[in-house]
């Protein structure tokens, strides 16, 4: 880990105007998805381009090739090392097999990965990580070797992971119901946070489900409009003259608008449903951090308990002038050091989490605000152009009726 | 039957001599549910405003139910062969919708249109049966209705058979399969093809119009669900982000209402005219069947007459004592044949006029329907665009705070 106290401000691609070359920056982009390999071994590789003036990095530009499991490796390493920090979420791992190589899925994954890396690169703590440097700079053989050695947190069986989440959830409700003598922090602020996170996850999942349905309904309306347009055109061909012309015009307009509607459905997906899903994943990452904090707290408590017992035992041995006193004193000192380590680790997590909550809230407000803005603008634009399209049809229909 | 041609329109009168220009104006209003349980039915007020001398004017109100309209349609179909009798709205609906406000209103509109089309048809408006329908008291109407042995009271199977005959004969003639007992009139063949093709295309268009209505409704429901979910998120978040979620939620719910209202409008203003068009075409098919019947009858009588003529000549040559009898039979047959020919020719003449009227009226009706449809879509899209735009400054305020 790099020790310089200097906080770096690294943003996407902007630099301070005052001293362009001396202001530190770290800018990453994930681009150019390419399908490699064959059959079941097939996978997508991405170009990761790093532009930076950090002294430890090979600058000013470095390009490496990475695949999805490399990003997973990075996320796992950061999760292990930076307990207390909300590690940015990855886009989903596997999709329904037949969509795995569809253009839409690949593009959404690329955007998700680009966002993932940039969030790490702009986080004051995480950007200093050695593992990040490795990820951005190491050659492909080194990366492959590291990836296959990975025994990261998330490599645990999904069942283990779920159990930890369940523990957190049940402990939360147990404490709330006053059921159990807490081996949990009795910190009302923290309780509020945990409740907020769990409630948020439910509401987000609901909103995301309905956003998905909205996209689906836009598509369906578009398809119906297209079918109707075709039927109207057939009628027009059958009728002939003014009426036939009217049917044909109506048919063509319907088909054109159908295309618009289906394009809008796609836009909705990219600009709105995806940010909501990203929000859900971020919340799940926070839950994992909450589980880590609970673990650290439990560890601290257990060590404190064990230490107390050892102290009582030591006193007993000293009173009886046992020859085991020396051994016991050494054990006690070791335990005390462990306990102090554990306490320090826990307190670090608490401190970091407090900062993280503030950052998370600010960033989320910004991200969702932008997403809503794009959504509303898109809807307004679509509705406007639909209104115009129908209006241009009116004079043509009037011409047909009066002829 | 009254012989003078009258021009009767819905409710407008000539500005020149308001009281002397003949008019016949009808409206079907005030649906009221009467009776109980399975006997329940809807009754309508039929208001007639007219200055026709044979009518009790200037205004007369009677109470009629759906089966009275059916009686009128059947009587007109029997008496005015060759004329396209205006169509009735559908007879029965799925049981649970039979008394829904929407169904009742659509049926009322359909019945009003039905009667007005009759009242503005130069031939049909002179019908005695129309006068009975518009003027007779309810007991008389009930008595007439129960006596009805009209065309459409035939078993549906019989009716279908007639249509099938027409359809198969059309294709047989087209394929040159059968020695035609059909008219070999190329204009008429074209008409029949047009009618059958039109029916298919209309049914398709009407099916897709119905689906469009359904999809508008579904989109509206999804938007409402999404709005509710967004509002819950807003309540959970609080502050600027919460406000943004809430605003988005409320706007979505408001637009959902608009969309579902538009779906209803689409139904009334567009899908219904298309269905009416389909029913009109089915009525024309029934008239085509009548014409085919009349033609067949004419041919058969002509054939029979020829045979009788040959037989008569034979009898005259042999100086049989049956000659007198045969001559009388022949004269009777000749009169029948001439009647049949006259009936057929009347049908042909009327149908030619009807086709022209039908095309003109349809062009007008569908033109209006499309116009309303497009205007409605433009208005809806406009107001949706405005609604989203009013949201933008509120969202910007949330993001920058």
């Amino acid at each position: 880990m790099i020790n310089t106290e200097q906080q770096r401000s690294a943003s996407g691609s902007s630099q301070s105007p005052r001293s362009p070359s001396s202001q530190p920056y770290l800018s990453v982009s994930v681009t150019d998805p390419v399908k490699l390999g064959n059959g079941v071994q097939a996978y997508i590789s991405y170009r990761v381009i790093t532009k930076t003036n950090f002294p430890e990095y090979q600058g000013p530009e470095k390009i490496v090739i990475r695949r999805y499991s490399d990003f997973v490796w990075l996320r796992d390493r950061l999760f292990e090392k930076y307990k207390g920090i909300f590690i940015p979420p990855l886009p989903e791992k596997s999709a329904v097999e037949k969509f795995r190589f569809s253009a839409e899925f690949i593009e959404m994954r690329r955007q998700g990965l680009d966002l993932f890396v940039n969030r790490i690169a702009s986080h004051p703590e995480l950007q200093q990580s050695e593992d990040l440097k490795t990820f951005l700079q190491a050659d492909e053989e080194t990366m492959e070797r590291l990836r296959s050695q990975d025994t990261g947190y998330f490599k645990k069986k999904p069942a283990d992971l779920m159990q930890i989440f369940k523990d957190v959830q049940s402990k939360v409700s147990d404490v709330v119901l006053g059921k159990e003598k807490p081996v949990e922090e009795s910190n009302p602020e923290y309780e509020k946070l945990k409740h907020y996170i769990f409630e948020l996850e439910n509401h987000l999942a609901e909103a995301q489900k309905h956003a998905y349905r909205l996209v689906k309904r836009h598509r369906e309306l578009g398809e119906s409009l297209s079918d109707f347009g075709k039927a109207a055109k057939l009628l027009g061909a059958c009728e002939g003259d003014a009426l036939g012309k009217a049917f044909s015009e109506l048919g063509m307009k319907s088909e054109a608008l159908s295309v618009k509607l289906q394009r809008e459905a796609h836009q909705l997906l990219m600009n709105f449903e995806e940010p909501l899903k990203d929000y859900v994943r971020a919340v799940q990452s926070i839950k994992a951090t909450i589980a880590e904090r609970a673990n650290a707290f439990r560890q601290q408590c257990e060590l404190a308990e064990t230490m107390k017992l050892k102290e009582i035992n030591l006193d007993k041995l000293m009173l009886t002038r046992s020859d085991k006193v020396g051994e016991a004193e050494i054990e006690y000192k070791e335990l005390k050091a462990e306990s102090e380590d554990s306490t320090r680790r826990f307190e670090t997590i608490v401190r970091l989490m407090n900062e993280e909550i503030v950052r998370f809230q600010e960033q989320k407000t910004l991200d969702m605000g932008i997403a809503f803005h794009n959504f509303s603008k898109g809807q307004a634009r679509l509705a406007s152009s639909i209104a115009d399209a129908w209006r241009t049809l009116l004079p043509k229909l009037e011409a047909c009726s009066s002829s």
Side-chain angles (χ1 to χ4, degrees), chain A:
Chain A
M1 264 169 70
I2 301 144
N3 282 330
T4 42
E5 293 303 298
Q6 211 182 9
Q7 275 289 353
R8 292 214 178 98
S9 68
S11 55
S13 49
S14 60
Q15 307 182 38
S16 161
R18 277 174 289 145
S19 41
S21 48
S22 59
Q23 196 77 359
Y25 68 92
L26 175 64
S27 150
V28 189
S29 56
V30 178
T31 65
D32 288 330
V34 170
K35 182 174 171 183
L36 299 177
N38 287 309
V40 292
Q41 306 279 4
Y43 65 95
I44 304 285
S45 75
Y46 304 86
R47 256 154 69 110
V48 180
I49 305 169
T50 307
K51 296 192 173 98
T52 181
N53 63 358
F54 284 16
E56 315 80 36
Y57 278 70
Q58 300 165 44
E61 183 176 293
K62 172 93 176 172
I63 300 178
V64 297
I65 305 294
R66 294 288 178 256
R67 54 187 291 186
Y68 184 82
S69 25
D70 296 328
F71 291 81
V72 174
W73 173 89
L74 178 61
R75 190 268 315 265
D76 292 351
R77 302 281 294 188
L78 293 176
F79 188 81
E80 283 277 3
K81 294 224 172 105
Y82 291 87
K83 296 195 201 295
I85 291 182
F86 301 158
I87 308 302
L90 280 170
E92 264 92 31
K93 173 162 173 51
S94 60
V96 173
E97 187 57 38
K98 60 174 180 162
F99 293 129
R100 204 153 63 89
F101 293 110
S102 78
E104 199 171 87
F105 177 77
I106 289 172
E107 172 58 18
M108 290 200 317
R109 174 168 277 199
R110 187 202 63 76
Q111 286 188 18
L113 293 175
D114 185 284
L115 198 54
F116 168 75
V117 176
N118 272 289
R119 281 169 169 163
I120 295 171
S122 47
H123 190 291
E125 301 264 356
L126 297 179
Q127 72 180 202
Q128 302 177 37
S129 147
E130 268 293 324
D131 292 316
L132 176 65
K133 181 155 90 75
T134 305
F135 176 85
L136 293 177
Q137 309 265 290
D139 58 57
E140 279 77 47
E141 290 83 15
T142 310
M143 198 64 232
E144 191 173 339
R145 191 171 26 89
L146 290 169
R147 193 176 69 234
S148 40
Q149 289 171 1
D150 183 26
T151 51
Y153 188 83
F154 286 91
K155 275 268 155 74
K156 279 194 169 58
K157 290 211 235 351
D160 297 334
L161 208 62
M162 283 313 300
Q163 191 50 46
I164 289 161
F165 287 160
K166 286 210 180 82
D167 285 346
V168 181
Q169 238 166 325
S170 64
K171 289 245 157 22
V172 169
S173 46
D174 286 346
V175 172
V176 170
L177 298 169
K179 259 193 188 180
E180 205 185 71
K181 255 209 333 263
V183 189
E184 284 286 310
E185 319 170 40
S186 52
N187 175 346
E189 279 281 316
Y190 186 52
E191 290 308 312
K192 241 174 65 178
L193 174 72
K194 281 188 284 186
H195 267 227
Y196 161 71
I197 289 297
F198 281 97
E199 206 178 280
L200 183 63
E201 195 189 13
N202 288 337
H203 286 133
L204 273 172
E206 267 298 293
Q208 191 253 310
K209 177 175 82 175
H210 289 298
Y212 171 77
R213 281 212 196 128
L214 248 190
V215 174
K216 192 155 159 276
R217 298 270 188 245
H218 270 85
R219 258 200 268 254
E220 288 171 348
L221 182 61
E223 285 160 5
S224 276
L225 206 46
S226 173
D227 290 340
F228 173 74
K230 290 189 176 73
K233 278 162 77 176
L234 280 176
L235 254 179
C238 171
E239 285 283 10
D241 289 342
L243 187 56
K245 218 163 168 291
F247 269 117
S248 297
E249 293 279 0
L250 184 69
M252 290 192 292
K253 195 63 66 180
S254 299
E255 282 191 306
L257 287 174
S258 158
V259 170
K260 275 194 166 69
L261 265 166
Q262 303 203 52
R263 207 176 287 147
E264 168 64 15
H266 178 78
Q267 279 303 309
L268 263 185
L269 186 71
M270 301 301 282
N271 290 343
F272 193 69
E273 203 206 336
E274 214 23 56
L276 273 179
K277 283 209 248 176
D278 176 70
Y279 202 163
V280 171
R281 281 180 237 128
V283 168
Q284 285 166 344
S285 177
I286 294 175
K287 281 169 69 180
T289 306
I290 286 176
E292 280 300 314
R293 175 165 163 163
N295 272 346
F297 183 75
R298 219 181 342 259
Q299 221 180 40
Q300 184 202 301
C301 291
E302 281 163 10
L303 280 169
E305 285 281 320
T306 314
M307 221 177 74
K308 241 188 262 159
L309 293 170
K310 281 266 183 241
E311 199 171 4
I312 290 169
N313 191 44
L314 185 60
D315 291 341
K316 232 197 294 187
L317 290 175
M318 284 173 101
L319 279 171
T320 63
R321 300 181 191 278
S322 163
D323 53 346
K324 292 204 173 94
V325 166
E327 204 180 305
E329 262 175 349
I330 291 166
E331 273 179 29
Y332 179 77
K333 277 198 172 70
E334 283 173 351
L335 202 60
K336 189 161 181 216
E338 246 187 278
S339 174
E340 279 162 8
D341 266 344
S342 169
T343 302
R344 203 166 30 242
R345 271 198 307 271
F346 172 72
E347 283 170 355
T348 302
I349 289 179
V350 171
R351 176 178 56 80
L352 287 172
M353 266 186 87
N354 286 340
E355 292 165 14
E356 288 291 286
I357 291 294
V358 174
R359 279 177 44 96
F360 172 72
Q361 293 288 61
E362 283 172 5
Q363 193 60 48
K364 270 307 139 193
T365 301
L366 213 69
D367 289 347
M368 290 316 292
I370 290 170
F372 288 166
H373 207 244
N374 287 339
F375 176 71
S376 308
K377 267 200 304 192
Q379 292 282 19
R381 244 192 332 252
L382 175 70
S384 245
S385 71
I386 288 177
D388 291 339
W390 285 117
R391 270 193 285 268
T392 59
L393 186 61
L394 292 176
K396 295 187 185 177
L397 292 178
E398 277 165 41
C400 292
S401 315
S402 48
S403 67

